Amino acid sequence: PRVLSAARPVSILNTHTTHHLLRLFICDLQTCFFFLHRNLGKSGLRVSCLGLGTWVTFGSQISDEMAENLMAIAYENGVNLFDTAEVYASGRRSSFVITTKIYWGGQAETERGLSRKHIIEGLRGSLSRLQLDYVDIVFANRNDVNSPMEEIVRAMTFVINQGMAMYWGTSRWSAMEIMEAYSVARQFNLIPPVCEQAEYHYFQRDKVEVQLPELYHKIGVGAMTWSPLACGLITGKYSDGVPECSRAAMKGYQWLKERVNSEEGRRQLAKIKELHLLADRLGCTAAQLAIAWCLRSEGVSSVLLGVSTSDQLLENLVSKVTDHICKLTIDALLGNKPHSKKELRA
């Protein structure tokens, strides 16, 4: 409904042409990713190919009213996956997939990590803040070297059996750690993780393109990826320096500013300029192309979007499909395609 506002510029044409273009526009939308759903790994949970993330913008960068508006627009346009959101649009609870993460809780030693105590108490606290009876997926937000893997898997199995979550997953875990969790689950008849949340974009490829596909085929773990625009780098906003209103200028994001200004950052910005030219030739924005590029990777169940305005959200939802030729063009331009062990042997 609201996404059709993007078609307003055609109103300057005659009525017949306008209706024709609008029909084409709607048909094009129906082939876009936000109307499609995929299984989360090899589980039975169906998630929209694009999800709404709340990593930076919600709670710190935008108002509650804007957050609620963004979630309503996303839901109206086919998105059912909301990552750690504390508000959600009108609709049946069963039509949403809500996730939360456990690791960082409070300052006390027992208020962080993945001990049984913190997993259970942390999830209860999250549910209370979300005003929900359960979440669909609870993520272990990085591994905890101080907690035995069996304790982590048993605690996750407990919260699922108690009805506090439907599934559990990992975030920022290595392939070896995920495999260990799966092995422990199989050994003690517990519930294994169904997916891994990983950073994935043009300049961060190895884990999602090489490691996770192997896990997907072996044990069914899917990938839910975040930061498709590399913290805004791919939009081109940092091409002429760091704008005052950008994320890199925010308190606590000095690491991003340093990354933008580094030698590697300058090389990446040069490649981004070429990618913008490619996007222009394809008739889409650089952001749309980058998101579609992420979704073409095997085993990726959903890409989480981070937006702060409705215009950004509507732009990102209409992501242009990348065909094989386009994929090869992008790979040649980037020059950083990772290779699996099998490919290297060949």
Side-chain angles (χ1 to χ4, degrees), residues 188-206:
F188 297 105
N189 196 28
L190 303 172
I191 299 172
V194 296
C195 74
E196 158 71 5
Q197 268 197 11
E199 182 179 4
Y200 184 47
H201 48 73
Y202 291 142
F203 309 110
Q204 187 83 19
R205 303 180 60 174
D206 187 72

Side-chain angles (χ1 to χ4, degrees), residues 14 33 52 55 218 303 327:
N14 63 57
F33 288 124
L52 188 60
W55 177 35
K218 286 180 180 177
V303 173
K327 176 181 175 297

Side-chain angles (χ1 to χ4, degrees), residues 38-47 81 97 137 139 167 194-196 216 220-224 301-302:
R38 296 176 178 176
N39 283 56
L40 185 61
K42 292 188 179 179
S43 75
L45 184 62
R46 299 280 288 174
V47 294
L81 176 61
V97 176
I137 313 168
F139 285 99
Y167 302 86
V194 296
C195 74
E196 158 71 5
Y216 174 74
V221 168
M224 188 183 294
S301 301
S302 187

